[in-house]
């Protein structure tokens, strides 16, 4: 399992995709940060920063996950993994964590942005920390969705686009609310919405339910990926 | 070493493998021969745990591939139909990855070096796989199967797409591997199994139609042995003499040449060796024999006859031949 993790991690930096992700992420988050917080000059405006990052995830994270299984299928190397003494769960987890490592590592680097806040004011460290934890979990959920979709196709582009659509759905379901009359459906949409749940963190409330929800999405999609491979084996 | 019992694989309605059983003993090289679509790849996929069987059991070294897949997979080195190579890696990186993937415990440097020497890829060890020729890629694929020194090695069509020189090299390599490993290889090329394998299993439409030692296989299906003789002397008398030999089922003149010799085609009755008596019958009458050729049906003939048989006949023919 560790072998797959290591290979996957290295392959991000053999092809340009790893560099592109890191560079674009740092650049864009830096720009968003300076627009949202430094210019606005208010502590609470970090909320906007975090929300904007979520929008960025919709595009950025599928870049990391699109190749994970799609490429393996296309290159016919999938057979190698599936006939080697590694469990399916191990294989899926290795791929997930490889993408996650790149994402989380880049996020941690981008936290340098916060130093500026401490120089010019007194930010609420609890909010920064709580939001970061939540953001890392949302990232995990998005990557997990991407892993799953990558296992369904051998075309990276399709994998990326489908992942964007699905993440968009999870993020934005609450945005549909204004078009819907039924209170029940609205509350369901609110419940599903990653975005809706996230706003709690950005405004300083550490929502355990949301944490559990994000983690559940991650597990659910990793589990589904394992099922895809089991099913294919038995097809 | 390998035991397959009544293995069945259905893809929806399509039956790809229709209940096959065989065993492979330790140290054997077994050839899996059949036309395209016969079910060779599917069988190998089930044996290596890539696909699950719809019915039936496959055990490797006593381990059921479905019950303990991880342990069973440790016993197997597998080269799929398309070598599973990461083109962006160097050979060195790739083999080291495989070494880790298989959780190998042998001495890394020494083991990988041995493998590279065996399959002759030492000179491309630091090259990127994408830049290697088809022949070298195939060797890297074989090297991959050898990592961890598995007891059983399975090759799916290992010589497809190679040029004749490479084909011979790969065949010799597989023969060498057979000294220390149990090998199963599939192919649709007839001379290949004859050249490499101890035993041949012929499969068609998902069923085994023959399972014999390589040296027995032609007699099994021709039933009778055909000989071609060239004799100097009066053609009619010679033909009569040949026909009078016990065990000769059929004889005819098939041509004559300027050397005043005549060629005869002779067929024996099933399972009777008429060669000595035939030779003596000619020579004792004072004629000179200048050619004596055994024309055991070649694998192509056998293969076509076996594969073209309507199914019920195959079993019958095999049985009757066995008795004879
Ligand atoms: N994944 C699959 N889905 C449906 N049919 C398949 C699949 N794989 C193989 N088959 C069918 O099963 C039969 C056996 O195929 P295969 O084992 O690849 O034959 P071989 O390797 O002997 O050429 C073929 O008719 C093929 O079309
Ligand atoms: Mg095949």
């Amino acid at each position: 399992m560790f072998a797959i993790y290591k290979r996957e991690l290295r392959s991000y930096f053999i092809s340009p995709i790893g560099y592109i992700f890191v560079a674009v992420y740092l650049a864009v988050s830096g720009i968003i940060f300076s627009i949202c917080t430094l210019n606005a000059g208010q502590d609470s405006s970090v909320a906007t920063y975090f929300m904007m990052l979520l929008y960025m995830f919709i595009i950025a994270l599928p870049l990391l996950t699109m190749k994970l299984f799609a490429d393996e299928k296309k290159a016919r190397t999938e057979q190698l993994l599936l006939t080697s003494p590694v469990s399916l769960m191990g294989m899926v987890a290795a791929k997930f964590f490889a993408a996650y490592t790149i994402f989380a590592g880049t996020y941690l680097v981008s936290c340098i942005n916060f130093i500026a806040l401490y120089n010019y004011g007194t930010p609420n460290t609890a909010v920064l920390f709580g939001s970061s934890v939540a953001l890392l979990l949302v990232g995990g959920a998005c990557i997990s969705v991407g892993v799953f979709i990558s296992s369904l196709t051998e075309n990276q582009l399709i994998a990326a686009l489908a992942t964007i659509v699905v993440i968009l759905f999870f993020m934005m379901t609450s945005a549909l609310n204004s078009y819907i009359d039924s209170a029940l459906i609205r509350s369901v949409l609110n419940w599903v919405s990653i975005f809706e749940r996230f706003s709690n963190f950005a405004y300083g409330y550490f929502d355990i339910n949301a944490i559990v929800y994000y983690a559940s999405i991650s597990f659910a999609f990793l589990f589904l990926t394992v099922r895809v491979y089991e099913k294919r084996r038995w097809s | 070493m390998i035991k397959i019992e009544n293995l069945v694989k259905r893809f929806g309605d399509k039956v790809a493998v229709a209940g096959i059983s065989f065993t492979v003993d330790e140290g054997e090289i077994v050839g899996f021969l059949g036309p395209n679509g016969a079910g060779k790849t599917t069988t190998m996929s089930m044996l290596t745990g890539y696909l699950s069987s719809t019915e039936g059991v496959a055990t490797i070294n006593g381990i059921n591939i479905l019950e303990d897949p991880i342990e069973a997979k440790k016993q197997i080195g597998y080269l799929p139909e398309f070598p599973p190579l990461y083109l962006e890696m160097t050979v060195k990186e790739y083999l080291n990855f495989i070494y880790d993937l298989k959780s190998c415990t042998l001495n890394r440097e020494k083991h990988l070096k041995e493998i590279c020497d065996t399959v002759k890829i030492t000179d491309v060890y630091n090259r990127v796989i994408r830049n290697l020729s088809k022949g070298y890629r195939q060797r890297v694929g074989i090297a991959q199967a050898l990592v961890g020194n598995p007891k059983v090695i399975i090759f799916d069509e290992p010589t497809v797409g190679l040029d004749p020189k490479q084909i011979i090299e790969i065949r010799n390599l597989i023969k060498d591997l057979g000294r220390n490993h149990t090998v199963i290889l599939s192919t649709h090329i007839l001379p290949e199994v004859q050249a490499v394998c101890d035993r041949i299993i012929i499969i068609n439409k998902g069923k085994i139609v023959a399972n014999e030692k390589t040296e027995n296989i032609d007699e099994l299906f021709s039933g009778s042995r055909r000989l071609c003789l060239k004799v100097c002397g009066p053609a009619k008398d010679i033909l009569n003499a040949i026909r009078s030999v016990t065990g000769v089922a059929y004889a005819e003149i098939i041509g004559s040449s300027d050397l005043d010799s005549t060629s005869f085609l002779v067929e024996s009755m099933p399972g009777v060796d008429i060669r000595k008596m035939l030779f003596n019958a000619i020579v004792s009458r004072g004629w000179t024999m200048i050619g004596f050729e055994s024309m055991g049906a070649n694998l192509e003939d056998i293969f076509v006859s076996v594969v073209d048989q309507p199914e019920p006949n195959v079993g019958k023919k095999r049985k009757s031949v066995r008795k004879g």
Side-chain angles (χ1 to χ4, degrees), chain B residues 36-37 39-42 81 156-157 186:
Chain B
N36 284 326
K40 306 180 294 289
T41 300
T42 307
E81 212 164 353
D156 197 354
E157 311 239 3
S186 82

Side-chain angles (χ1 to χ4, degrees), chain B residues 213-283:
Chain B
K213 292 252 179 235
T214 307
E215 64 261 28
N216 296 341
I217 202 141
D218 22 323
E219 276 135 56
L220 180 64
F221 292 101
S222 63
S224 58
R225 183 190 285 275
R226 288 192 296 170
L227 299 166
C228 180
L229 311 188
K230 239 182 190 180
V231 185
C232 299
K236 280 253 168 68
D237 296 346
I238 299 172
L239 186 61
N240 286 334
I242 292 173
R243 284 181 174 157
S244 69
V245 173
T246 41
V248 171
Y250 175 80
E252 67 166 327
I253 296 173
I254 53 172
S256 55
S257 69
D258 21 314
L259 274 171
D260 145 55
S261 68
T262 313
S263 300
F264 301 87
L265 177 72
V266 184
E267 251 181 69
S268 73
M269 292 181 185
V272 185
D273 190 348
I274 55 169
R275 284 172 300 179
K276 271 188 198 161
M277 284 196 290
L278 204 55
F279 184 83
N280 290 336
I282 306 275
V283 175

Side-chain angles (χ1 to χ4, degrees), chain A residues 56-173:
Chain A
M56 189 168 88
F57 282 7
I58 298 172
I59 306 286
L61 293 182
L63 286 182
L64 285 184
T65 58
M66 62 184 185
K67 69 161 181 133
L68 286 173
F69 286 107
D71 214 25
E72 218 59 82
K73 254 196 287 285
K74 194 153 184 210
R76 309 253 191 185
T77 44
E78 195 181 54
Q79 266 193 346
L80 175 68
L81 302 185
L82 294 175
T83 56
S84 64
V86 178
S87 68
L88 285 178
M89 194 66 221
M91 174 182 84
V92 172
K95 300 227 164 212
F96 171 81
F97 282 115
Y100 197 77
T101 304
I102 304 278
F103 157 67
T106 313
Y107 179 74
L108 291 181
V109 172
S110 76
C111 287
I112 292 173
N113 289 337
F114 298 147
I115 293 175
L117 290 183
Y118 287 92
N119 279 345
Y120 296 110
T122 50
N124 184 340
T125 307
V127 169
L128 291 183
F129 182 76
S131 300
S132 295
V133 169
L135 207 68
L136 287 172
L137 283 165
V138 172
C142 296
I143 289 173
S144 183
V145 168
V147 166
F148 170 68
I149 291 175
S150 184
S151 76
L152 299 176
T153 172
E154 59 176 56
N155 185 320
Q156 293 196 30
L157 190 65
I158 291 177
L161 293 177
T163 308
I164 289 174
V165 169
V166 174
I167 296 179
L168 204 59
F169 171 77
F170 272 104
M171 291 272 185
M172 310 303 287
T173 46

Side-chain angles (χ1 to χ4, degrees), chain A residues 32-53:
Chain A
I32 297 175
F33 185 79
S34 46
I35 293 173
C36 292
T37 62
L38 296 183
N39 288 349
Q42 284 168 3
D43 170 75
S44 67
S45 59
V46 291
T48 328
Y49 170 64
F50 283 117
M51 295 300 225
M52 296 295 279
L53 283 187

Side-chain angles (χ1 to χ4, degrees), chain B residues 21-40:
Chain B
S21 310
F22 62 87
T23 57
V24 179
D25 294 332
E26 188 151 3
E28 257 189 315
I29 305 184
V30 171
F32 222 52
L33 179 66
N36 284 326
K40 306 180 294 289

